[in-house]
Amino acid sequence: MSEPSPWRGDFPAVAALERQQQTYLDSAATSQKPQAMLDALTHYYAHGAANVHRAQHLPGALATQAFEECREKVAQWLHAGAPAQVIFTHGATSALNLLAYGLEHLIGNGDEIAVSALEHHANLLPWQQLALRRNARLVVLPADAQGRIDLNEAGALIGPRTRILAVTQLSNVLGTQQPLAPLLALARQHGALSVVDGAQGVVHGRQNVAALGCDFYVFSSHKLYGPDGVGVLYGRSEALGRLQHWQFGGEMVHLADYDQASFHPAPLGFEAGTPPIAGVIGLGATLDWLASLDTEAVLAHERALHQQLLRGLGDREGIRVLGAPDTALASFMVSDVHNADLAHLLTDQGIAVRVGHHCAMPLFKRLGLNGAIRVSLAMYNDSTDLQRFFEALDRALELLR
Ligand SMILES: Cc1ncc(COP(=O)(O)O)c(C=O)c1O
């Protein structure tokens, strides 16, 4: 049994959900928010909203300062060398689309872009569409039975034609951490740019993008206990220098005339229009709050809870867990039971889990399945949530079998 979560009380929504008799086990989709983040949002809006990087007045200067301080906080959080290596986007999806357009000019006829079989649509479709636009080849690195990218196969598939390698850090379906170090080394060896989709990975433990050695790393604030509508794109300075501008408008422009314009380099040159100011400030407050916690204690709590989840699923007859999850979530199916029926009965009992293809349709096709039920955990969950889940699961299976 895991200890009660010491951080549960810091998330007002968890108590609110309990009052609605809801047990929230869908944090891989989006997380609940800490009070510290809510306070920062309220403070910003209650003390005078203003646009950033343009106004001369005091509210504008204060908003710009707060916004740029958050860029520094994100850079520190990721161990990026400098704040200028952090571009704010509207989410991981928009960061990945930025990359697929920004790097388009580097892709030619017959070039290869490598992704894994595990990718979320957000880290598959932008590359697939780029390959189609440039007559390039999308190479899919297979995963092994456990749900990790197969390094032998990757060694054979990543080669001199590979221009970009784009892989997830932690599978949102299988809950498996990926062998990034050898994969990134393969990309480097062949002169390919590397993109790590950290949307799930960033939530579980501190990241060090410099040590990881990737060219680009992306994540969404909303999964990391921050506000939605904000994404982060980190880039190595040289890699950022290779990006072409992709969205055009206010603030990203240096000089404009009717027939031509010049643009800022990263980060501002890739933040066209008004950025998500409040969201970025909220993310900064979330990172401050996360930095005040004992990361090892959070990870130990999550690990204990995850073990409890896997044991409970393993103890029940007819349950098949997909792959060999090592972090924070598990997807499963029950033999002779339709996912949708089970999900319906869990929902009726106030259990908020996710059912379906989890934005990874090609993976499910490869697995020969039409979906699964996913339970995902966060630092505010504890054993009581899992007890409720398993009680509801047992009642549902009694009815269905
Ligand atoms: C692994 C992974 N990548 C990318 C995304 C896309 O994130 P967003 O919808 O916040 O852009 C998700 C969201 O579930 C994800 O799990």
Side-chain angles (χ1 to χ4, degrees), residues 28 91-93 120 122 168 170 172 197 199-200 220 222-223:
T93 302
H120 186 284
T168 186
L170 169 60
N172 64 307
D197 174 0
Q200 297 293 339
S220 282
H222 70 94
K223 294 190 201 279

Side-chain angles (χ1 to χ4, degrees), residues 138-334:
L138 189 79
V139 173
V140 180
L141 310 177
D144 62 20
Q146 318 235 284
R148 290 190 189 83
I149 300 168
D150 187 315
L151 289 174
N152 286 332
E153 300 255 21
L157 290 167
I158 297 171
R161 294 307 316 248
T162 312
R163 296 284 169 269
I164 297 169
L165 167 72
V167 284
T168 186
Q169 182 176 28
L170 169 60
S171 162
N172 64 307
V173 177
L174 304 178
T176 41
Q177 300 270 357
Q178 299 306 312
L180 289 182
L183 286 167
L184 299 182
L186 272 172
R188 259 194 308 279
Q189 188 186 324
H190 293 287
L193 287 166
S194 56
V195 177
V196 174
D197 174 0
Q200 297 293 339
V202 76
V203 185
H204 306 288
R206 287 296 299 267
Q207 307 303 320
N208 186 329
V209 287
L212 193 58
C214 55
D215 290 301
F216 298 104
Y217 184 93
V218 312
F219 72 90
S220 282
S221 149
H222 70 94
K223 294 190 201 279
L224 184 60
Y225 309 109
D228 44 33
V230 183
V232 166
L233 166 60
Y234 152 85
R236 243 173 14 91
S237 302
E238 300 76 11
L240 287 173
R242 301 178 76 178
L243 284 177
Q244 251 183 5
H245 292 94
W246 81 303
Q247 283 187 335
F248 301 89
E251 281 319 293
M252 54 78 64
V253 70
H254 173 51
L255 291 171
D257 207 335
Y258 286 112
D259 51 0
Q260 59 180 340
S262 60
F263 310 111
H264 289 302
L268 293 190
F270 295 87
E271 294 177 359
T274 299
I277 303 165
V280 165
I281 290 171
L283 172 61
T286 307
L287 294 183
D288 283 344
W289 180 75
L290 286 171
S292 75
L293 309 182
D294 174 350
T295 309
E296 283 312 309
V298 173
L299 286 176
H301 175 76
E302 289 183 358
R303 266 196 301 271
L305 212 53
H306 190 237
Q307 285 305 313
Q308 192 187 338
L309 170 63
L310 294 183
R311 266 197 311 277
L313 291 172
D315 285 349
R316 283 164 174 79
E317 229 173 86
I319 291 190
R320 172 179 165 203
V321 173
L322 305 189
D326 51 47
T327 307
L329 63 88
S331 296
F332 69 96
M333 343 183 353
V334 184

Side-chain angles (χ1 to χ4, degrees), residues 47-99:
H47 284 76
N51 217 323
V52 291
H53 301 136
R54 47 195 95 185
Q56 302 307 308
H57 48 67
L58 181 68
L62 290 176
T64 303
Q65 189 187 345
F67 186 85
E68 288 304 321
E69 278 172 10
C70 292
R71 203 187 297 278
E72 262 177 67
K73 288 177 191 178
V74 174
Q76 275 171 19
W77 182 259
L78 292 177
H79 296 90
Q85 291 173 261
V86 171
I87 296 171
F88 287 118
T89 69
H90 296 279
T93 302
S94 66
L96 290 161
N97 276 282
L98 185 167
L99 287 175

